[in-house]
Amino acid sequence: MVLVVFAVWMLIFDSNSLLIHRDLNEDITDLEDEKAYYRNEIEKDKKAIKELSTEDGIEKLAREKYYMKKENEDIYIIEYEDSLKLDNKDE
């Protein structure tokens, strides 16, 4: 009887119980997934920084994202029908 009470105490109520270990293992898994995500983001940022470290990269970003242009230059923005946000209330 004492062994059963001791086993129940150790498995459920103790500060090192299996329930706490299961929760901690889930937390570790979540943190490892987060770590992998942030490492991937760091690699993307390093590539972007490397690309922006050249004059051509800065010019490309300015033209594509901010629609900047050189003097005496015209820019035409072509939008395709599937890229436009249409307000279709009939659907």
Side-chain angles (χ1 to χ4, degrees), residues 11-39:
L11 292 175
I12 298 174
F13 299 112
D14 191 48
S15 63
N16 297 319
S17 70
L18 288 178
L19 299 175
I20 292 174
H21 278 284
R22 187 189 68 202
D23 292 340
L24 292 175
N25 286 335
E26 288 176 6
D27 290 344
I28 288 172
T29 303
D30 292 341
L31 290 172
E32 286 174 349
D33 291 343
E34 243 183 273
K35 181 179 170 183
Y37 169 77
Y38 285 119
R39 284 194 180 188

Side-chain angles (χ1 to χ4, degrees), residues 37-51:
Y37 169 77
Y38 285 119
R39 284 194 180 188
N40 187 22
E41 291 297 313
I42 288 171
E43 289 301 317
K44 286 181 188 177
D45 291 342
K46 283 182 182 179
K47 288 178 185 176
I49 289 170
K50 187 175 182 180
E51 184 177 311

Side-chain angles (χ1 to χ4, degrees), residues 44-60:
K44 286 181 188 177
D45 291 342
K46 283 182 182 179
K47 288 178 185 176
I49 289 170
K50 187 175 182 180
E51 184 177 311
L52 291 174
S53 64
T54 63
E55 287 293 321
D56 292 335
I58 293 171
E59 183 177 341
K60 180 181 175 186

Side-chain angles (χ1 to χ4, degrees), residues 3 5 13 17 19-20 39-41 44 52 59 64 66 68 70 74-76 84 88 91:
L3 287 176
V5 171
F13 299 112
S17 70
L19 299 175
I20 292 174
R39 284 194 180 188
N40 187 22
E41 291 297 313
K44 286 181 188 177
L52 291 174
E59 183 177 341
E64 290 178 359
Y66 298 108
M68 294 182 159
K70 293 181 180 178
D74 293 327
I75 295 179
Y76 298 97
L84 298 175
N88 293 333
E91 294 180 9

